[in-house]
Amino acid sequence: MTAPKKRARRKPVKKKPDYVLATIPDDTFGAATDPLPAKSPEAPPLTADERFEYLLDNPDLYAAARALPGPGRVGRPAHHPPVVYLVFLCAISLFGSARATSCHLQRPIWWDLVRAGIRTHMGDELADSLQPVGPSRGQWNYFFHTKLKPAFADVRDISRDLWIQQALDHGMMSETSTRVSRSYPERHQVIHADATVACPPSSQRHRTTVNKVTGEIRHHRVDPDAGNTVEGGGARVYGNKFLSAAIRLANTPHSRVILGIESIRHKSVKHDPQRDDEGTAFVKLAQYILSRAGGLRAITYDNALRGVHRAPLIADGLVVFTTQHGGLTPESLHRYEDGPCRHDLYVAEGRVCERHITVDGTTHYTPLPVEELEYRQGTRTRFYHRLTIPCRVTNHTTRVRVDETPEDRQIDPSTKRQRFNRAEHLRQVPPDTHAGRRLKGFRQDSESQHSRFDQSYPHKRVPAYGANAGMLIYIGYAWLSNSVARAKINSTVAA
């Protein structure tokens, strides 16, 4: 008897809108025929020893090591100084696991590189005091669990500050000598960010399982923080969720600089009250980066960022680009009146449209051309769309706020909700435009970053249990990636 066939999961059918959207006009956001920017040059491959040398040549790594917890006053003296264990943490992403890293650092061909890097950046005395070989796996596990994990927040914050300063030193998040449109910011002025789910070493959910036939009881190691998360394509993934933000230079391979990493909540608040949700965590990280880098102009994210998260970032002067969230229906904006002319303005598909109803009852929304995305700075930054309303009598010009207004935040007594979620329905840069597609292309760099992170470990499983331990592994990966970016950018400038 054959086994029953597994029923295929039915894909959700998208409901067609009950209205018609006219053609997107050519305006300040570009034309449909405009070509997208050319692809950047292909990044040349790097060998493992090159990446390791770039890591050991990074002076910021040793600055971070000086802030790590040192040996205590009681107990057995540590076999290695903290800087060795920080190098060990970063090398896990190079060699794939702590076991493989320990094996490599036991060999002189790799350990001599560590000794030479410490001698160059921290002095002869510390280099001469090092052991003949690197840490064993047991020594690493002891330091990781007793020193690094309790201090994970300090490691995260120290690394974040050094990474932001590295990006600034490379000319990223800085003003340019030429006037740049807010709709088309330079590549080095745009942060791309996203969240990813990192799979733990084991997918076991239960600490003990019982064989129903033999009665054998088996014990398993379970990640205490992992949980199920639904990703963008609808796939359910088991693991811990991490948020990262990065930036890069245009047409410069290996120039991505990771600016910050956060462990975010993917369970209910009841089961994980210590962590912020994805949107809240990103707003805090973006505002911190902006406080250090005044030349930051725009941020790209996926549609996990909603209007409540975009509004404070827009108020801080940033262009926040995300794709349009599905299920949004057109919202009435206001009626424009000028003499005998009457025009009903609505918000549909992320932009201002004029509504028309045909004789057969079909609703048509005609997108209005935007002449300019205006930026006005004050106590609270304001953004406007300067629009042209085509009319049989005469064309009209009006301005519409695309940031949240005090009237929007008022609570409607009938619905008990905010009167108008402007940041959710109306976008600074509409997605279905040339400028929007350009910014969307920038965001795809986050997918490349997460893919490289997953591929750094066997079976795409992060070799650590727990959210804090997993974030430390991600921090080590970021140090390795940023060290490569520092070396490559400096060599390009020197050439």
Side-chain angles (χ1 to χ4, degrees):
M1 183 176 178
T2 58
K5 293 184 179 180
K6 192 174 182 179
R7 297 181 64 181
R9 181 177 294 179
R10 182 178 297 177
K11 294 183 179 180
V13 179
K14 292 185 178 180
K15 183 180 178 181
K16 293 184 179 180
D18 56 356
Y19 59 87
V20 176
L21 185 71
T23 305
I24 304 297
D26 299 342
D27 55 11
T28 188
F29 301 121
T33 56
D34 290 345
L36 288 175
K39 291 184 178 180
S40 300
E42 184 177 355
L46 298 174
T47 61
D49 59 311
E50 283 181 298
R51 295 164 65 86
F52 195 59
E53 289 175 357
Y54 293 153
L55 173 69
L56 296 173
D57 287 340
N58 188 349
D60 288 345
L61 183 71
Y62 302 94
R66 293 186 179 94
L68 290 179
R73 295 184 178 180
V74 296
R76 186 176 179 179
H79 291 83
H80 301 275
V83 62
V84 170
Y85 293 106
L86 183 58
V87 171
F88 194 108
L89 174 68
C90 302
I92 290 176
S93 298
L94 180 64
F95 301 121
S97 66
R99 182 190 298 272
T101 302
S102 176
C103 291
H104 279 81
L105 296 186
Q106 298 287 319
R107 291 177 55 81
I109 189 174
W110 297 98
W111 183 241
D112 288 347
L113 294 175
V114 177
R115 188 188 297 273
I118 293 177
R119 186 179 303 278
T120 300
H121 295 277
M122 303 191 77
D124 295 335
E125 181 179 355
L126 183 60
D128 293 336
S129 67
L130 295 178
Q131 298 291 328
V133 294
S136 66
R137 190 183 176 200
Q139 293 168 351
W140 159 252
N141 286 336
Y142 177 81
F143 187 88
F144 184 70
H145 292 289
T146 61
K147 299 293 184 179
L148 277 180
K149 285 180 66 176
F152 81 95
D154 294 333
V155 176
R156 175 199 61 196
D157 296 343
I158 293 167
S159 300
R160 178 189 59 195
D161 291 342
L162 290 170
W163 296 339
I164 294 174
Q165 187 58 50
Q166 176 186 340
L168 292 173
D169 293 340
H170 293 324
M172 303 177 187
M173 299 184 290
S174 61
E175 297 285 356
T176 58
S177 57
T178 59
R179 183 179 183 274
V180 179
S181 168
R182 295 273 169 175
S183 307
Y184 288 86
E186 297 287 347
R187 184 66 184 90
H188 66 271
Q189 297 176 324
V190 183
I191 284 180
H192 56 268
D194 197 9
T196 185
V197 178
C199 298
S202 172
S203 295
Q204 290 288 343
R205 271 75 159 178
H206 305 285
R207 296 186 181 278
T208 58
T209 56
V210 180
N211 190 311
K212 295 182 180 180
V213 178
T214 64
E216 178 188 7
I217 299 176
R218 300 189 64 180
H219 299 273
H220 308 281
R221 189 172 182 183
V222 178
D223 192 308
D225 300 321
N228 289 316
T229 304
V230 178
E231 291 191 324
R236 294 175 65 87
V237 184
Y238 179 76
N240 294 295
K241 200 168 187 179
F242 301 103
L243 165 73
S244 67
I247 197 166
R248 70 179 310 152
L249 296 175
N251 301 319
T252 306
H254 295 300
S255 64
R256 182 196 301 124
V257 176
I258 300 174
L259 302 174
I261 299 171
E262 294 287 348
S263 174
I264 57 179
R265 185 172 65 239
H266 54 280
K267 300 180 180 180
S268 65
V269 180
K270 177 182 177 181
H271 291 92
D272 192 3
Q274 289 83 16
R275 295 179 180 85
D276 292 323
D277 61 87
E278 182 176 346
T280 303
F282 176 71
V283 170
K284 291 181 179 179
L285 177 59
Q287 289 179 331
Y288 182 83
I289 296 173
L290 183 61
S291 68
R292 302 284 301 275
L296 183 62
R297 285 292 171 264
I299 289 173
T300 63
Y301 211 91
D302 59 17
N303 56 15
L305 213 64
R306 304 304 296 267
V308 67
H309 308 122
R310 287 192 291 268
L313 297 177
I314 295 172
D316 288 335
L318 294 175
V319 172
V320 184
F321 177 82
T322 65
T323 55
Q324 189 75 354
H325 198 276
L328 293 179
T329 58
E331 291 280 339
S332 175
L333 191 60
H334 64 263
R335 170 171 285 188
Y336 178 84
E337 298 182 359
D338 185 10
C341 302
R342 302 288 187 273
H343 300 274
D344 293 325
L345 303 186
Y346 277 68
V347 177
E349 304 295 336
R351 61 186 302 152
V352 180
C353 304
E354 183 178 3
R355 188 183 71 164
H356 301 279
I357 300 179
T358 61
V359 292
D360 61 355
T362 304
T363 303
H364 283 254
Y365 292 98
T366 303
L368 301 180
V370 180
E371 303 301 329
E372 186 179 0
L373 173 63
E374 296 182 351
Y375 167 83
R376 297 181 184 178
Q377 188 174 10
T379 55
R380 184 181 177 90
T381 303
R382 293 171 294 168
F383 285 89
Y384 294 85
H385 279 177
R386 179 158 56 84
L387 304 166
T388 296
I389 304 177
C391 181
R392 290 176 295 178
V393 178
T394 181
N395 290 343
H396 309 283
T397 300
T398 185
R399 286 176 173 81
V400 173
R401 290 274 294 272
V402 289
D403 61 287
E404 194 176 63
T405 66
E407 292 77 14
D408 295 336
R409 293 189 293 272
Q410 293 178 358
I411 303 300
D412 190 336
S414 59
T415 62
K416 307 299 182 183
R417 295 181 179 180
Q418 184 176 319
R419 287 188 180 275
F420 182 43
N421 193 347
R422 189 179 298 259
E424 178 74 13
H425 291 271
L426 185 58
R427 302 303 172 86
Q428 296 161 290
V429 179
D432 195 15
T433 59
H434 179 267
R437 288 186 288 271
R438 175 177 177 265
L439 291 174
K440 183 179 180 180
F442 291 170
R443 198 205 70 80
Q444 300 306 316
D445 203 54
S446 294
E447 302 293 344
S448 171
Q449 173 189 323
H450 293 326
S451 177
R452 290 298 303 270
F453 173 66
D454 292 337
Q455 294 171 5
S456 298
Y457 315 103
H459 309 295
K460 298 183 178 181
R461 294 185 175 275
V462 176
Y465 287 91
N468 295 341
M471 186 172 68
L472 284 170
I473 299 296
Y474 203 157
I475 290 173
Y477 167 83
W479 271 112
L480 183 64
S481 177
N482 290 354
S483 298
V484 173
R486 173 186 288 273
K488 288 298 183 180
I489 293 174
N490 289 343
S491 64
T492 302
V493 173

